[in-house]
Amino acid sequence: MSSLPVRLDREPAALAMRIGVVAAEAALATFARNLDLDEVEDGEVDFRGAIGPAEWPVFSLVIDTLAEGRPGDERSLDERRVEALNDLARICMAAKQRAGAA
């Protein structure tokens, strides 16, 4: 058993939060590079066709996690993904503000 002090920034929950923020930032950067805001506003976005295969796994993980359907939600996955992009932008902005305050 180690007697070294436990670093709070190395706790599993803190690490998971950092990983989540990095994934969110990567997904937002992918969106900014590959998708047109006008298409998103119209609600007709071919997410899979617009995102390259190398970036798709992280992008889809983040967006589809945020766009998870709730009971009674009859929107299509693409409609939920459009709303998830707004959530993603708010997450990244909050993380950036928090990092600036630290």
Side-chain angles (χ1 to χ4, degrees), residues 39-63:
E39 290 177 8
V40 172
E41 286 181 19
D42 294 339
E44 296 184 20
V45 181
D46 176 16
F47 286 93
R48 186 67 189 229
I51 306 297
E55 294 177 303
W56 180 253
V58 170
F59 180 80
S60 66
L61 172 69
V62 171
I63 292 299

Side-chain angles (χ1 to χ4, degrees), residues 13 38 43 62-63 68 87:
D38 292 332
V62 171
I63 292 299
E68 181 180 5
D87 294 337

